[in-house]
Amino acid sequence: MNYIFLLLVTFKIIKKKLMQLKEIMGFQTAHSHGAKWIPQPIFKGKEVPIDVQENSLFQKTTLNFIEHSQSNSNYILSGYDSWMVRHPSALNSFERLMKNAIGKRIILFLDYDGTLSPIVNDPDRAFMSEEMRATVHEVATYFPTAIISGRSRDKVQDFVKLNNLYYAGSHGMDIMAPSMPITSSAGEHIEIAINKSVSNSVLIPFQPAKKYLPAIREILRILKNEVEEIKGAMVEDNGFCVSVHFRQVQEKDYGFLEEKVKCVLENHPQFCLTEGKKVMEIRPSIKWNKGNAVEYFLDTLGLSSCNDILPVYIGDDRTDEDAFKVIQSREQGYPIIVSSVPRETRALYSLRDPSEVLMFLSSLAKWRKNAY
């Protein structure tokens, strides 16, 4: 009987401490989507007297664990999970997003590196999977789809290898799009016209930075000579911008590399230097970015003044923030950031990595297939 009594008392202690631990870790906010994580103080009630030596060690261990959790709760709750409260998963929110999309025409914009393909050490080997390629092809049969990348347009098109979507390279400074707005009274007819023009290549290039090409060729030539002595540095020709990759550069050499790049730019004041994921990029200083590319596509597709469209933009880079800003300013559509770490962003929703992008696009295709 004493043994049973001790088991019952021990169970009560475990239950009590677990309830307190749940409160500390913020589970009390699960019912409220916008609630803040608030660690709760431990309420110390009347202790149950137990004269059992074996149980004293358990109590001490449990209390230490709870106290440790309480002291670290602010750190735990200020990381990726709390960031997700402000930028919820587009996968977990998919049903609600699609409920709001009923009766609207979705237009899909996608970044490439870090979105459709993983970030890799060698930028020439940033291949997308066959499963991703098939999924992008499928969604592009249902929705007008454009890839807007920092790569040159030819290079990203060679990576993707699909003809039923639009491409923009050099952060939107090299666009292949319809020559004039495509108009129709019905969304279905617009989709058919758009896909037909893509497959038949009835497109013209738009290159707002074309006059800078000679200077870009010169910068490219000089940079290749300047950085070749720095181990791991790689200069990439991306059409209307020059990328200097330093993912494989030793930390002690980064300052030297940056100094050389800035020295080259001193003689070309009409260009600016930006930094992405382990890459420095030299671009013409013109008011044109991925956000302008989104607006250009909407204009040429005859959709910019429509109230029933729903632009969806998925990207992982700083340069994608310009596109997020445009979609937010329109107050229609879903800007979605791809990130596994908390970061400042204008995106409303998030996906963790390209594998979640694949799941989201697959769900989007399935939703469209089942809706009609």
Side-chain angles (χ1 to χ4, degrees):
M1 288 294 294
N2 290 336
Y3 181 72
I4 294 174
F5 173 76
L6 290 176
L7 283 177
L8 289 173
V9 172
T10 303
F11 176 75
K12 285 185 177 181
I13 292 174
I14 294 172
K15 183 178 179 181
K16 177 182 176 182
K17 300 306 179 183
L18 287 176
M19 290 298 294
Q20 291 173 343
L21 181 58
K22 280 187 177 182
E23 292 179 356
I24 291 168
M25 296 186 73
F27 285 102
Q28 73 279 3
T29 63
H31 65 279
S32 175
H33 177 72
K36 295 181 178 179
W37 297 96
I38 304 175
Q40 300 294 322
I42 297 177
F43 175 77
K44 293 190 176 181
K46 185 178 179 180
E47 295 291 336
V48 178
I50 305 176
D51 297 324
V52 180
Q53 183 176 359
E54 290 82 2
N55 195 53
S56 62
L57 179 60
F58 169 78
Q59 290 185 59
K60 184 176 180 181
T61 304
T62 305
L63 285 170
N64 286 340
F65 174 73
I66 292 173
E67 288 170 2
H68 177 75
S69 299
Q70 185 181 29
S71 65
N72 287 281
S73 59
N74 288 334
Y75 171 78
I76 293 170
L77 301 175
S78 64
Y80 191 77
D81 288 341
S82 62
W83 181 80
M84 289 280 287
V85 174
R86 289 176 287 124
H87 309 285
S89 167
L91 278 176
N92 296 341
S93 309
F94 186 82
E95 187 175 339
R96 177 167 56 84
L97 297 182
M98 292 304 101
K99 184 177 180 181
N100 294 333
I102 294 175
K104 298 181 181 179
R105 289 174 285 170
I106 293 175
I107 302 94
L108 187 60
F109 299 97
L110 303 167
D111 184 25
Y112 182 75
D113 292 274
T115 299
L116 300 182
S117 72
I119 298 293
V120 294
N121 288 333
D122 184 352
D124 288 335
R125 300 191 62 79
F127 304 123
M128 66 192 299
S129 67
E130 288 301 322
E131 186 179 8
M132 179 70 84
R133 181 174 290 105
T135 302
V136 172
H137 181 272
E138 184 178 14
V139 294
T141 63
Y142 296 130
F143 312 108
T145 302
I147 292 181
I148 305 178
S149 171
R151 304 278 193 140
S152 68
R153 178 168 52 82
D154 290 341
K155 189 173 293 184
V156 74
Q157 191 165 359
D158 188 54
F159 273 131
V160 177
K161 302 183 190 308
L162 295 175
N163 296 321
N164 66 332
L165 42 87
Y166 302 100
Y167 293 92
S170 304
H171 301 290
M173 287 184 285
D174 186 10
I175 301 174
M176 191 67 79
S179 59
M180 62 182 65
I182 300 172
T183 57
S184 174
S185 59
E188 182 181 359
H189 294 159
I190 285 181
E191 290 183 18
I192 292 173
I194 288 170
N195 288 330
K196 182 178 180 181
S197 66
V198 171
S199 61
N200 292 340
S201 300
V202 186
L203 308 170
I204 63 169
F206 176 71
Q207 300 169 332
K210 190 172 183 178
K211 70 176 185 178
Y212 294 96
L213 275 178
I216 292 171
R217 300 298 93 174
E218 177 68 8
I219 291 173
L220 184 66
R221 182 186 65 80
I222 296 172
L223 271 177
K224 283 185 175 180
N225 291 331
E226 288 291 323
V227 309
E228 65 179 358
E229 61 187 89
I230 302 176
K231 186 177 180 180
M234 176 180 175
V235 179
E236 183 181 13
D237 178 4
N238 277 320
F240 292 88
C241 64
V242 178
S243 302
V244 182
H245 299 273
F246 56 89
R247 185 170 296 275
Q248 300 187 74
V249 172
Q250 294 184 21
E251 188 175 348
K252 64 182 180 64
D253 294 330
Y254 172 75
F256 184 48
L257 175 64
E258 185 181 35
E259 182 181 345
K260 281 188 171 291
V261 172
K262 288 182 177 179
C263 279
V264 173
L265 272 185
E266 286 179 359
N267 298 320
H268 297 84
Q270 71 273 37
F271 288 82
C272 62
L273 180 67
T274 60
E275 189 167 315
K277 291 183 175 179
K278 300 291 185 180
V279 61
M280 288 181 278
E281 294 186 310
I282 299 169
R283 294 189 279 169
S285 298
I286 63 172
K287 293 183 178 179
W288 194 267
N289 52 48
K290 288 187 176 183
N292 299 110
V294 168
E295 292 176 324
Y296 185 83
F297 274 120
L298 293 177
D299 284 340
T300 58
L301 297 176
L303 301 173
S304 61
S305 60
C306 297
N307 295 322
D308 64 340
I309 65 169
L310 196 71
V312 176
Y313 191 106
I314 307 176
D316 76 307
D317 198 67
R318 291 179 185 177
T319 57
D320 296 311
E321 294 294 332
D322 296 314
F324 296 158
K325 181 179 179 181
V326 164
I327 292 179
Q328 279 226 40
S329 68
R330 294 180 62 91
E331 296 184 347
Q332 55 179 179
Y334 302 135
I336 303 172
I337 189 169
V338 183
S339 181
S340 59
V341 296
R343 51 188 283 195
E344 288 299 317
T345 179
R346 293 178 181 270
L348 298 178
Y349 297 91
S350 66
L351 293 167
R352 185 176 288 268
D353 52 34
S355 67
E356 288 201 352
V357 174
L358 175 63
M359 287 188 282
F360 180 85
L361 296 178
S362 297
S363 298
L364 189 61
K366 184 178 180 181
W367 173 81
R368 173 59 175 78
K369 190 186 303 182
N370 294 336
Y372 293 89

